[in-house]
C-alpha cells in the first residue's frame, strides 16, 4: 500500500449541501430557527433543560466563564494533561489556571490533587474527559462539599466525550455546565463549532447574553422582528453564537452518533489487540465508563517517540500528539515557573504519546498498514 493514511476523515457527505442550501434560501444565515431546533434536539439527547450552540468550544468556554462572573485572580483548577485551550480561556479573563497532575493510568484529573488545591479563591474546576473517558463527578462534588461551603462550579470539557457514559449517565448529568467542540476533527463536526448544556437556569440566562456581546436581544429578535427592538447591555460578553448555516449539519450526525461510536470501538479494539504484545502502553478507562472513543493515543518510550512519529509520517501515516503537558508550553512555563515534580504523570505521558489515525472510515487494510509500520518503527528504534 502506498496511499496516504489520513489522520482523520470526517463523515459529512456531499448531500449535506442541501441542508446548507435550505438555510441560504431562508435568508437568515446566522443563529435562528435552525439553531433553535438543534438546541432542542441536544437538550433532549442529553436530558438537560438548556442547550446553546456556539461557534467553538473556546468561545463557548469564554462565554461560560463570563456568565459565572469569573474575575481577575479567581482560580480555576484544570488538569495539566489537556489541550491548551482549557488554560487559555482562563488566562483570557485574567483569572488563574491552577494546573494539577493527572492519574497515571487514566490521565484524568485526580480528585486528590483537586482537593489539595481548593481554597477561598477557587471558583471552578474543569474536568476534561480526555479520549472520551469520564470521572465520577458526584463523588468529587461530595468530597468538595465536605471541604468547603463555597460554591465551586464544575465544568465538563466534553470535546472528546459526546457519546460517553459513566454508569449509564451521559456527560452533563452531574456538572454545572458541559462544553462540546464540533471542530473539524471531532466526532461530530461543523468545521468550527461547539455547544454548551446546563440545567442551571441562572447560568443559562446569563449565557444567552455572554454569547452575544452581553446584550439582551438575540440576533433574530433584533433584526427580523417586524418592529425594531432596542437592546441593553449590562454584562460583558463575547461573540460565540453558531450560525444556522453550520447548525444545519448537526441533526443528521446526531442520528448516527452511537452507530459511529460502535464502529470506533471496533477499530479501537482491533488496534489494541494487534499492538498489545509490544512495549506500547495505552490509557485506561474509568471503571463503569462506556467511552465515546475519540483519538487512539499510544505511549512509547519518550526517547524514541519523535523517531516513531516521523518514521510513521515518512511512511505517509498521519499522526499527532494529544497532548503535550500544558506545563511544557513556554507561555505557561515562564509565567508560572512550575515544579516539574508536581506534574510527573502529565509530563511523562505528554513526552511519550502519539495518536494514530482513528475514525469510522478507516478500513482494515489501512489499519493493518499502520500497525505494521508502528511495530516496524519500534523494532528499528528500540
Ligand atoms: C478540541 C478541544 C478543545 C477546543 O475546541 P475548539 O472548538 O477548537 O475551541 C478544547 N478541549 C479539548 C479537550 C479539545 O479536544
Amino acid at each position: 500500500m502506498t496511499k496516504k493514511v489520513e489522520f482523520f476523515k470526517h463523515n459529512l457527505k456531499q448531500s449535506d449541501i442541501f441542508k446548507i442550501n435550505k438555510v441560504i434560501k431562508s435568508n437568515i444565515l446566522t443563529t435562528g430557527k435552525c439553531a433553535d431546533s438543534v438546541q432542542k434536539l441536544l437538550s433532549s439527547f442529553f436530558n438537560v433543560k438548556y442547550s446553546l450552540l456556539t461557534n467553538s468550544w473556546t468561545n463557548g468556554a469564554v462565554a461560560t466563564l463570563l456568565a459565572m462572573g469569573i474575575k481577575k485572580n479567581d482560580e480555576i483548577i484544570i488538569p495539566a494533561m489537556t489541550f491548551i485551550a482549557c488554560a487559555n480561556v482562563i488566562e483570557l479573563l485574567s483569572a488563574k489556571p491552577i494546573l494539577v497532575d493527572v492519574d497515571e493510568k487514566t490521565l484524568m484529573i485526580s480528585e486528590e490533587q483537586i482537593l489539595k488545591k481548593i481554597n477561598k479563591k477557587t471558583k471552578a474546576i474543569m474536568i476534561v474527559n480526555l479520549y472520551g473517558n469520564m470521572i465520577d463527578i458526584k463523588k468529587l462534588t461530595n468530597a468538595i462539599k465536605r471541604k468547603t461551603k463555597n460554591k465551586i462550579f464544575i465544568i465538563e470539557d466534553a470535546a472528546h466525550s459526546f457519546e460517553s457514559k459513566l454508569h449509564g449517565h451521559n456527560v452533563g448529568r452531574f456538572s454545572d455546565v458541559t462544553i462540546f467542540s464540533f471542530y473539524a476533527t471531532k466526532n461530530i463536526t461543523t468545521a468550527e463549532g461547539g455547544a454548551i448544556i446546563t440545567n442551571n437556569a441562572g447560568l443559562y440566562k446569563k449565557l444567552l447574553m455572554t454569547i452575544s456581546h452581553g446584550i439582551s436581544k438575540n440576533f433574530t429578535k433584533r433584526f427580523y422582528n417586524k418592529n425594531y427592538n432596542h437592546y441593553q447591555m449590562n454584562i460583558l460578553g463575547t461573540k460565540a453564537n453558531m450560525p444556522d448555516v453550520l447548525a444545519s449539519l448537526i441533526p443528521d450526525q446526531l442520528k448516527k452518533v452511537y452507530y459511529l461510536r460502535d464502529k470506533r470501538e471496533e477499530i479501537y479494539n482491533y488496534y489494541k489487540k494487534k499492538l498489545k504484545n509490544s512495549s506500547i502502553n495505552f490509557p485506561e478507562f474509568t471503571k463503569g465508563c462506556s467511552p465515546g472513543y475519540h483519538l487512539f493515543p499510544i505511549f512509547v518510550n519518550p526517547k524514541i517517540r519523535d523517531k516513531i512519529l516521523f518514521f510513521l509520517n515518512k511512511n505517509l501515516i498521519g499522526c499527532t500528539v494529544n497532548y503535550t503537558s500544558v506545563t511544557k508550553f513556554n507561555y505557561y512555563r515562564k509565567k508560572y515557573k512550575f515544579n516539574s515534580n508536581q506534574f510527573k504523570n502529565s509530563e511523562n505521558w505528554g513526552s511519550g504519546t502519539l495518536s494514530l489515525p482513528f475514525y469510522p472510515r478507516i478500513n482494515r487494510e489501512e489499519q493493518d498498514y499502520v500497525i505494521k509500520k508502528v511495530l516496524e518503527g519500534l523494532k528499528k528504534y528500540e
Side-chain angles (χ1 to χ4, degrees):
M1 200 169 78
T2 49
K3 246 175 67 197
K4 186 170 167 40
V5 184
E6 300 287 348
F7 176 68
F8 182 78
K9 281 183 183 170
H10 64 72
N11 294 297
L12 294 176
K13 306 173 301 297
Q14 290 196 18
S15 59
D16 284 314
I17 200 73
F18 297 116
K19 316 276 169 23
I20 293 177
N21 220 1
K22 206 171 145 197
V23 174
I24 290 173
K25 277 191 199 148
S26 79
N27 201 38
I28 295 180
L29 300 177
T30 186
T31 313
K33 280 203 184 97
C34 181
D36 273 351
S37 72
V38 175
Q39 284 165 183
K40 289 199 180 88
L41 284 177
L42 285 179
S43 294
S44 79
F45 185 94
F46 289 108
N47 195 19
V48 294
K49 289 196 188 124
Y50 312 105
S51 302
L52 277 172
L53 289 170
T54 60
N55 52 21
S56 69
W57 180 98
T58 300
N59 279 339
V62 170
T64 300
L65 300 185
L66 287 168
M68 288 173 175
I70 299 298
K71 303 178 307 294
K72 192 171 173 184
N73 296 329
D74 284 347
E75 296 187 357
I76 301 181
I77 299 173
I78 65 167
M81 176 40 58
T82 185
F83 182 51
I84 40 165
C86 299
N88 289 355
V89 292
I90 300 166
E91 286 285 316
L92 279 170
L93 298 204
S94 302
K96 195 170 173 197
I98 303 297
L99 293 157
V100 300
D101 205 5
V102 291
D103 180 80
E104 187 181 0
K105 295 201 168 96
T106 64
L107 291 322
M108 295 291 284
I109 195 164
S110 125
E111 181 178 311
E112 193 194 327
Q113 297 291 330
I114 290 174
L115 294 175
K116 271 193 210 158
K117 295 287 182 185
I118 286 178
N119 64 52
K120 275 187 278 190
K121 290 189 210 155
T122 311
K123 291 291 151 59
I125 297 163
M126 197 184 282
I127 313 290
V128 179
N129 295 329
L130 199 70
Y131 313 136
N133 199 1
M134 290 170 75
I135 63 163
D136 190 339
I137 293 181
K138 211 160 112 185
K139 183 168 155 275
L140 173 69
T141 309
N142 288 333
I144 293 170
K145 277 193 185 134
R146 282 195 294 272
K147 174 136 185 169
T148 174
K149 286 202 179 69
N150 297 346
K151 170 68 188 168
I152 296 177
F153 287 105
I154 305 282
I155 304 167
E156 252 179 298
D157 175 346
H160 296 187
S161 59
F162 195 96
E163 311 83 349
S164 303
K165 290 178 184 186
L166 186 67
H167 303 304
H169 294 297
N170 283 105
V171 296
R173 179 76 172 76
F174 299 108
S175 51
D176 291 285
V177 59
T178 299
I179 311 172
F180 301 95
S181 171
F182 302 142
Y183 173 66
T185 59
K186 298 294 176 5
N187 292 349
I188 289 186
T189 184
T190 56
E192 298 286 352
I196 305 169
I197 60 171
T198 181
N199 280 314
N200 183 325
L203 207 55
Y204 174 69
K205 226 174 117 188
K206 290 216 168 114
L207 273 165
L208 283 172
M209 295 185 267
T210 58
I211 66 159
S212 158
H213 312 289
I215 62 187
S216 55
K217 294 276 187 305
N218 82 12
F219 324 94
T220 29
K221 288 209 178 92
R222 272 202 328 274
F223 296 108
Y224 298 104
N225 273 5
K226 215 165 79 196
N227 297 313
Y228 180 78
N229 278 273
H230 287 291
Y231 54 82
Q232 248 313 335
M233 177 198 154
N234 297 312
I235 62 171
L236 186 64
T238 180
K239 186 64 160 50
N241 60 297
M242 177 185 278
D244 274 11
V245 171
L246 296 182
S248 68
L249 297 170
I250 296 173
D252 268 11
Q253 296 186 72
L254 206 51
K255 282 184 209 148
K256 291 183 295 196
V257 278
Y258 286 114
Y259 166 73
L260 294 175
R261 178 234 167 253
D262 291 349
K263 286 206 124 182
R264 284 194 304 275
E265 182 172 51
E266 240 182 86
I267 293 160
Y268 196 97
N269 290 338
Y270 187 73
Y271 264 143
K272 244 187 124 167
K273 189 175 91 190
K274 295 286 175 175
L275 293 172
K276 73 165 190 263
N277 293 324
S278 67
S279 57
I280 291 171
N281 270 323
F282 306 94
E284 286 176 20
F285 291 111
T286 305
K287 208 165 151 256
C289 178
S290 161
Y293 294 106
H294 178 64
L295 299 170
F296 188 83
I298 62 173
F299 179 87
V300 300
N301 184 339
K303 286 194 188 105
I304 62 165
R305 193 268 309 273
D306 283 356
K307 285 183 183 147
I308 303 277
L309 186 60
F310 298 134
F311 174 77
L312 294 174
N313 287 166
K314 214 178 83 196
N315 284 284
L316 305 179
I317 295 169
C319 295
T320 65
V321 170
N322 306 96
Y323 297 95
T324 300
S325 177
V326 175
T327 49
K328 288 286 194 185
F329 285 97
N330 288 341
Y331 175 91
Y332 291 102
R333 213 170 40 82
K334 287 184 185 154
K335 182 162 178 180
Y336 294 109
K337 307 202 163 39
F338 304 108
N339 173 357
S340 269
N341 276 334
Q342 291 176 5
F343 302 98
K344 274 195 187 122
N345 296 336
S346 177
E347 293 190 353
N348 184 48
W349 178 263
S351 57
T353 191
L354 69 114
S355 303
L356 302 180
F358 183 65
Y359 42 93
R361 285 169 61 201
I362 193 169
N363 63 39
R364 215 11 94 72
E365 189 196 355
E366 290 171 319
Q367 236 194 320
D368 282 332
Y369 175 72
V370 174
I371 291 160
K372 189 176 127 206
K373 289 296 165 189
V374 170
L375 295 175
E376 230 178 271
L378 284 176
K379 218 169 167 185
K380 193 168 148 114
Y381 297 111
E382 257 179 348

